[in-house]
Amino acid sequence: MGKPYTVKQMLVSMASGDTQPSDWTQHSLGIIENTDDKIGAFLQVNGEQALQRAHQLDDQAAHWRASLSTTGATTQGLFGIPYALKDNMCTKGMGTTAASQILANYIPPYSATVAEKLTQANGVMLGKTNLDEFAMGSSTEHSAFQKTHNPYNLNRVPGGSSGGSAAAVAAGMVPFALGSDTGGSIRQPAAFCGVVGLKPTYGRVSRFGLIAFASSLDQIGPLTQTVEDAALVLQYISGPDPLDSTSAPTVTEDFTRLLTGEVKGLRIGIVRDISAVGMDPQVMTAVDKAVAVLAGAGAQVVDVALPHSAYAVASYYLVAPAEASSNLARYDGVRYGRRVEGETLLDMYERTRSEGFGMEVKRRIMIGTYALSSGYYDAYYKRAQQMRTLIRQDFDEAFQKCDVIAMPTTPSPAFAFEEKSANPLQLYLDDIFTVPANLAGLPGINVPCGMSNEGLPMGLQLLGKAFDESTLLQVAHGYEQLRGFTMPSPHGLEG
Amino acid sequence: MKISEDVVRHVARLARLAVCDEEVHGLASQLSDILEYAEQLQQVDLTGVAPTSHPFPLKNVLRTDVPRPGLPREVLLANAPDDDGEQIRVPAVLEG
Amino acid sequence: MEFETVIGLEVHVELNTNTKIFCSCKTSFGDPPNTHVCPVCTGQPGSLPVLNERAVDMAVKAALALHCQINQDCKFDRKNYFYPDLPKGYQISQFDQPIGEHGYLEIDVHGDRKRIGITRLHLEEDAGKSQHAADGSHTLVDYNRTGVPLIEIVSEPDIRTPEEARLYLEGIREMMHYCDVSDCRMEEGSLRCDANISLRPVGQQEFGLKTELKNINSFRFVQKGLEYEEQRQREILAVGGEVVQETRRFDDVSQTTLTMRSKEEAHDYRYFPEPDLVGLHIDDAWLARVRATLPELPMEKRDRYIRQYQLPAYDAGVLTSDLAIGEYFEAVVAAGADAKSASNWVMGDLLGYLNGRSEGIAATPVAAVELAELIAFIAADRVSIKQGKDVFKVMCETGKDAKTVIREAGMEQISDMSTLLPLVDAVLASNPKSVQDFLGGKEKALGALVGQLMKATQGQANPGVVNQLLRDRLNALKAVE
């Protein structure tokens, strides 16, 4: 298969009048048709509805092109761009499951703010992608409905929890998809699938309508082929939302404005005191090389310290399950979703929740319930939140010395199915590079930085200052331009 | 911190999860592993460190007291596993 | 052994905002089930709360009225428990940083003023309404009330008698009315109360084992339920028994308290800071803005009435028991009425009339100036007090003012010949000197006779008619001579 088209390419093509929205929707639906039975990225494809919407946009295309020529812009909105949503974002009248049995038949009565915004930007929603149940996991193996395969190697996981979105973008089914990132769930699957994945600053994108996992950590962001596309999409999904008290009162900015390819003078922080058990030296080498590329282009490399990052996983695996245990209490078989009848109310609750939730979700609910329970709150939850403060302070200090921080996204490339399911803790430890950004609320991005010996993508992670996505995107884009290779097409689908 | 099977059962009840003996056994050891790992937080002196419950200290996000239309009842009930056309029905809540 | 009773009350007050605390659904009471619901208050996946500013204003106002210290920096927490009428599986409440702390309410106990400490006042959301099928087969849930803003007011264990408990609860209601933050209708559930009661030997410091009394649905039952419970505990302790720490409810049919089904587990609410809401900072300006809306509080007003109007404490208490009654009373006085007369009329006839119709002062058919006018008629002896009461009744029933009623009833002036003639004859008969003087040509003597007749009719005789009648009679006598 050929190189997938980017959002930008589609917009330019439509702006010139060569193509129109329905061409791209059909193109995307064709790829999904041909490849998704092998990948399993989508839980739901709404081809008919999408085509109908695309045809409506066809009728508005001339008007759109005229508006472009008057403003001199090459892009305006996400006109006619097909996209997918991770199935933990509510879509009014269209099933939203969070990949859980407990919500298998749930039809939301309202749409998430991001879905509304993308509709307003004239995007064309094709369907909903697979995830680890309630976004808990890093392999998408915990979906209650299906496996998603890594397009680079069908025997490998796509990462998670936004594995469906990452695989869909990697396989060229859609030029962009939205994911959510609580502890790395956008960046890690992006690294495994060789695409760009951006977790914006906490509060940058409204969480209204995102089925909550851990409210103080969750953030929605785009998965794309290029950094520029990520910037474009962020443009249209971000901004304050009166329906989300935690959305930041930011002003609109053009996230593409610093995408010049220039990184000269920017300070790249590298962290020597953060390490992972089972770190793959290939990944370390690829990241070092990426930093060297930036240095070669005039970026200044400085050492920074994040002394408390060693405690990040411990803090994260108390805070996230604690919030989750409370966020998932609403799935009780009363108002919506699956109910398993019982003799008594207590029976009904327990049967519903035991049959409705998968094992990983139950495990996290158990940890969280324990961490919040009487007598343990101070020892676990409160200490974890105090540790967050120290981790934030580490970043504050580090960012006195640098503009972005570079490190691996994951300790190793995509692993095989079931390779890591025996020991939950070992899998949690792999989140060492991604969870600090969530605990501190900072923006982070994965940019592919090479292929492993086994032909699997490896990812460079860049972290930025709070609400400074522009500089983060500038460095990520600069690296993308300078890295001197193009990502090979996903070969998992060949032959 | 070793988590006993009794504690697992107690926590499961708090969380309204029915767990079979086999699950209790597995959870006891997995929870013990995870909480033992989390024990490292006990080694750090956190005296006087304020907890972070929000990454950024926003204050006073408020709305004005003006009513807006909500959901029609039939839309709410459409998702309900059991209802009587007006209210949601659940097994009897036992109360004295 | 002599025992001392120790009571503490937890009172929940629904705030009368237009919309719910975390969403824009209406708070109206009594509408068909599940007609004021939205994704937020029914806990749909992905929905998020946004705090109603007015609910905070009202909570701060109530806290200030109860002399609480305001926690200018506070937050919300989640209280986790499962119940079908709690859609999210947690209630958003305030745990360790309530809006107000360390306040008090003063009550009048048989003429003595007593201060009941208030431990805390916090803001939270109400749950929905569960309706249990009579046959015990199922429960129906209505989410209209879910998310209505509540304040919970927790008293110190300062209450010593069931009567004090009732007075305290009435005091809370009065205060909430004064602040205009709640209707406080117990029958509609906008005021709810749980009570803790224990007994201890007089002189003992530590508290005895307590029971919690729930489902108290009227002011009368607060006292009755606690009296029953106090007696029950006393009987247990008197024979050396031990009170079982449990939750009981007052049964209004048997007028006793009964054990509620014991919970299967001890509660472990797993409180933690609500991550979907940000912190609240009530700065000095905000506080000042709310403080400026505080009315004169009941006790201050009571003292002022005693001082300024020289009213008995009882009168001051009744008149200030409701903001509107006090306003009415003061308007009557402002219109010129004597304070004690105004007090008597308001407390007696007016409230009597309104209570008979189960109406509040707002429904008064007699405006304050109209009552003042009636009082003036009486003060000027133009109608008797007894007549005044009749006039007042007519005023209430017809809505006419005093002057009109008096005129129409002919109360003020007697012009009727058949009434006046016997009186004229009586005056002539009892004043032979004046009659002789008049007949002797002293025209002035007529005036004295008119005066006598006016006196005999308490001024109500029509002077013109009287004059004419006397002249006619005297002229007739003259002719005879």
Side-chain angles (χ1 to χ4, degrees), chain A residues 107 339 350 354 383 385 389, chain B residues 13 18 44 50 52 79 89:
Chain A
I107 314 286
R339 174 191 293 187
E350 293 195 343
S354 299
R383 289 189 83 82
Q385 295 283 55
T389 305
Chain B
R13 171 52 58 86
V44 188
T52 291
N79 271 309
R89 184 158 38 210

Side-chain angles (χ1 to χ4, degrees), chain A residues 415-444:
Chain A
F415 49 87
F417 287 103
E418 281 164 42
E419 185 183 328
K420 302 212 177 190
S421 37
N423 188 335
L425 178 60
Q426 286 312 308
L427 188 51
Y428 296 171
L429 295 178
D430 282 357
D431 296 340
I432 175 74
F433 297 118
T434 48
V435 293
N438 299 84
L439 291 169
L442 303 175

Side-chain angles (χ1 to χ4, degrees), chain A residues 58-125:
Chain A
D58 287 352
D59 297 339
Q60 298 166 29
H63 182 259
W64 174 70
R65 279 195 295 273
S67 77
L68 288 182
S69 53
T70 49
T71 58
T74 52
T75 62
Q76 181 72 257
L78 296 165
F79 189 80
I81 303 295
Y83 70 92
L85 292 178
K86 185 177 180 179
D87 202 27
N88 60 353
M89 297 172 207
C90 287
T91 42
K92 185 175 177 176
M94 183 190 209
T96 301
T97 65
S100 181
Q101 287 292 355
I102 214 161
L103 285 177
N105 56 3
Y106 177 63
I107 314 286
Y110 76 104
S111 283
T113 296
V114 285
E116 297 279 6
K117 280 181 169 263
L118 288 174
T119 301
Q120 271 165 33
N122 290 318
V124 178
M125 215 265 286

Side-chain angles (χ1 to χ4, degrees), chain C residues 87-346:
Chain C
K88 300 183 296 293
Y90 55 83
Q91 179 192 30
I92 303 178
S93 182
Q94 296 188 295
F95 180 52
D96 55 345
Q97 295 172 10
I99 269 190
E101 284 181 286
H102 315 303
Y104 64 85
L105 176 76
E106 287 183 323
I107 57 173
D108 270 327
V109 189
H110 304 300
D112 290 328
R113 195 156 291 186
K114 179 168 177 178
R115 188 173 279 198
I116 307 294
I118 286 169
T119 316
R120 54 182 284 150
L121 179 152
H122 73 253
L123 194 51
E124 61 185 23
E125 58 180 338
D126 207 345
K129 224 168 104 185
S130 296
Q131 187 190 321
H132 310 294
D135 64 359
S137 61
H138 63 270
T139 295
L140 293 172
V141 194
D142 168 15
Y143 295 102
N144 280 350
R145 204 181 64 183
T146 309
V148 169
L150 280 182
I151 48 175
E152 180 177 322
I153 304 164
V154 182
S155 85
E156 293 285 322
D158 288 347
I159 300 167
R160 289 291 170 270
T161 68
E163 185 192 20
E164 286 180 16
R166 176 179 54 78
L167 291 169
Y168 169 82
L169 191 61
E170 285 171 353
I172 293 283
R173 175 180 59 175
E174 181 180 280
M175 198 63 102
M176 297 303 116
H177 276 165
Y178 263 65
C179 295
D180 192 21
V181 300
S182 176
D183 307 331
C184 289
R185 291 184 216 261
M186 276 192 111
E187 67 283 6
E188 288 182 7
S190 59
L191 177 72
R192 303 196 286 273
C193 171
D194 299 332
N196 288 308
I197 174 167
S198 63
L199 267 58
R200 64 181 170 194
V202 170
Q204 181 180 303
Q205 273 305 302
E206 56 271 30
F207 297 125
L209 286 173
K210 68 181 180 188
T211 54
E212 190 181 6
L213 202 53
K214 281 191 182 281
N215 287 11
I216 303 170
N217 54 16
S218 83
F219 287 89
R220 208 158 53 86
F221 291 166
V222 172
Q223 184 167 347
K224 279 199 168 289
L226 286 169
E227 277 166 356
Y228 179 86
E229 192 54 26
E230 183 182 44
Q231 186 57 30
R232 191 186 69 86
Q233 291 191 13
R234 186 175 290 130
E235 284 166 14
I236 293 172
L237 296 172
V239 296
E242 196 170 77
V243 172
V244 179
Q245 190 148 354
E246 63 183 350
T247 302
R248 300 176 69 86
R249 66 185 175 88
F250 182 69
D251 180 65
D252 50 5
V253 179
S254 63
Q255 301 275 299
T256 59
T257 67
L258 306 169
T259 300
M260 287 177 81
R261 195 176 296 269
S262 56
K263 304 266 184 259
E264 318 139 28
E265 57 180 309
H267 282 299
D268 184 347
Y269 290 125
R270 288 160 284 137
Y271 282 100
F272 73 101
E274 165 58 284
D276 287 330
L277 290 169
V278 301
L280 201 50
H281 175 64
I282 302 160
D283 62 15
D284 293 345
W286 188 350
L287 214 49
R289 183 166 58 76
V290 177
R291 205 184 288 277
T293 66
L294 270 185
E296 180 185 24
L297 299 176
M299 283 298 169
E300 296 165 15
K301 182 176 278 193
R302 214 152 286 176
D303 292 343
R304 178 168 64 83
Y305 278 19
I306 293 168
R307 202 175 58 240
Q308 181 179 344
Y309 300 120
Q310 277 93 46
L311 291 179
Y314 176 79
D315 290 36
V318 174
L319 294 174
T320 57
S321 64
D322 182 298
L323 193 62
I325 295 176
E327 275 169 9
Y328 184 94
F329 162 76
E330 295 202 57
V332 176
V333 175
D338 158 66
K340 181 58 188 157
S341 305
S343 169
N344 290 346
W345 276 95
V346 172

Side-chain angles (χ1 to χ4, degrees), chain A residues 7-85:
Chain A
V7 171
K8 185 65 183 289
Q9 286 167 339
M10 291 180 185
L11 286 171
V12 167
S13 166
M14 285 186 284
S16 70
D18 290 348
T19 54
Q20 55 180 356
S22 59
D23 295 335
W24 292 110
T25 294
Q26 256 152 358
H27 170 80
S28 276
L29 289 171
I31 299 174
I32 294 170
E33 175 80 32
N34 291 333
T35 59
D36 204 39
D37 56 338
K38 294 186 208 92
I39 304 288
F42 280 86
L43 289 175
Q44 191 183 173
V45 179
N46 277 10
E48 214 167 294
Q49 224 174 300
L51 271 175
Q52 206 181 333
R53 173 73 182 140
H55 284 303
Q56 275 174 12
L57 292 172
D58 287 352
D59 297 339
Q60 298 166 29
H63 182 259
W64 174 70
R65 279 195 295 273
S67 77
L68 288 182
S69 53
T70 49
T71 58
T74 52
T75 62
Q76 181 72 257
L78 296 165
F79 189 80
I81 303 295
Y83 70 92
L85 292 178

Side-chain angles (χ1 to χ4, degrees), chain A residues 103-413:
Chain A
L103 285 177
N105 56 3
Y106 177 63
I107 314 286
Y110 76 104
S111 283
T113 296
V114 285
E116 297 279 6
K117 280 181 169 263
L118 288 174
T119 301
Q120 271 165 33
N122 290 318
V124 178
M125 215 265 286
L126 297 192
K128 310 291 286 285
T129 57
N130 198 17
L131 63 150
D132 286 298
E133 184 178 1
F134 284 103
M136 296 179 190
S138 38
S139 64
T140 312
E141 289 171 291
H142 298 300
S143 165
F145 303 120
Q146 66 194 40
K147 272 186 187 173
T148 297
H149 300 262
N150 191 315
Y152 281 91
N153 181 337
L154 298 183
N155 297 320
R156 303 277 171 149
V157 301
S161 63
S162 311
S165 288
V169 172
M173 298 179 203
V174 279
F176 83 90
L178 295 191
S180 64
D181 190 317
T182 306
S185 280
I186 289 173
R187 291 159 290 158
Q188 185 258 19
F192 280 14
C193 291
V195 296
V196 171
L198 171 67
K199 178 200 102 72
T201 310
Y202 183 83
R204 176 69 89 176
V205 179
S206 169
R207 294 185 295 116
F208 187 74
L210 169 68
I211 295 182
F213 163 10
S215 311
S216 74
L217 304 166
D218 295 343
Q219 186 61 197
I220 293 174
L223 292 111
T224 55
Q225 295 287 344
T226 64
V227 174
E228 185 182 24
D229 281 4
L232 271 173
V233 175
L234 181 62
Q235 191 75 40
Y236 295 103
I237 60 171
S238 60
D241 180 2
L243 299 175
D244 175 0
S245 308
T246 63
S247 71
T250 50
V251 289
T252 323
E253 57 180 299
D254 177 1
F255 293 109
T256 60
R257 73 181 193 283
L258 299 180
L259 305 187
T260 54
E262 188 61 65
V263 294
K264 199 166 175 202
L266 287 169
R267 298 164 303 166
I268 316 294
I270 55 168
V271 190
R272 299 207 188 273
D273 55 1
I274 185 167
S275 63
V277 186
M279 184 77 217
D280 185 333
Q282 289 187 87
V283 175
M284 212 58 247
T285 309
V287 169
D288 288 345
K289 243 167 134 178
V291 172
V293 165
L294 288 166
Q300 191 189 330
V301 177
V302 294
D303 276 344
V304 294
L306 297 174
H308 295 95
S309 55
Y311 301 101
V313 171
S315 172
Y316 175 84
Y317 276 96
L318 292 172
V319 172
E323 292 183 9
S325 71
S326 175
N327 283 332
L328 270 60
R330 67 187 61 196
Y331 308 105
D332 58 3
V334 174
R335 291 157 308 280
Y336 46 73
R338 186 157 173 217
R339 174 191 293 187
V340 183
E341 293 292 350
E343 288 295 298
T344 64
L345 181 69
L346 181 66
D347 265 359
M348 188 279 275
Y349 279 151
E350 293 195 343
R351 288 188 194 178
T352 296
R353 291 168 60 79
S354 299
E355 292 182 31
F357 292 137
M359 202 56 220
E360 180 61 23
V361 170
K362 286 191 243 185
R363 188 154 41 232
R364 299 205 194 191
I365 290 175
M366 293 286 291
I367 300 170
T369 303
Y370 181 83
L372 290 175
S373 68
S374 172
Y376 299 104
Y377 180 89
D378 284 351
Y380 291 107
Y381 187 76
K382 191 175 170 204
R383 289 189 83 82
Q385 295 283 55
Q386 289 174 307
M387 184 50 74
R388 267 183 100 165
T389 305
L390 298 183
I391 289 168
R392 270 176 54 203
Q393 288 170 357
D394 283 354
F395 276 112
D396 286 348
E397 258 179 62
F399 281 122
Q400 299 285 318
K401 293 192 232 153
C402 65
D403 301 300
V404 298
I405 293 172
M407 63 173 77
T409 305
T410 60
S412 62

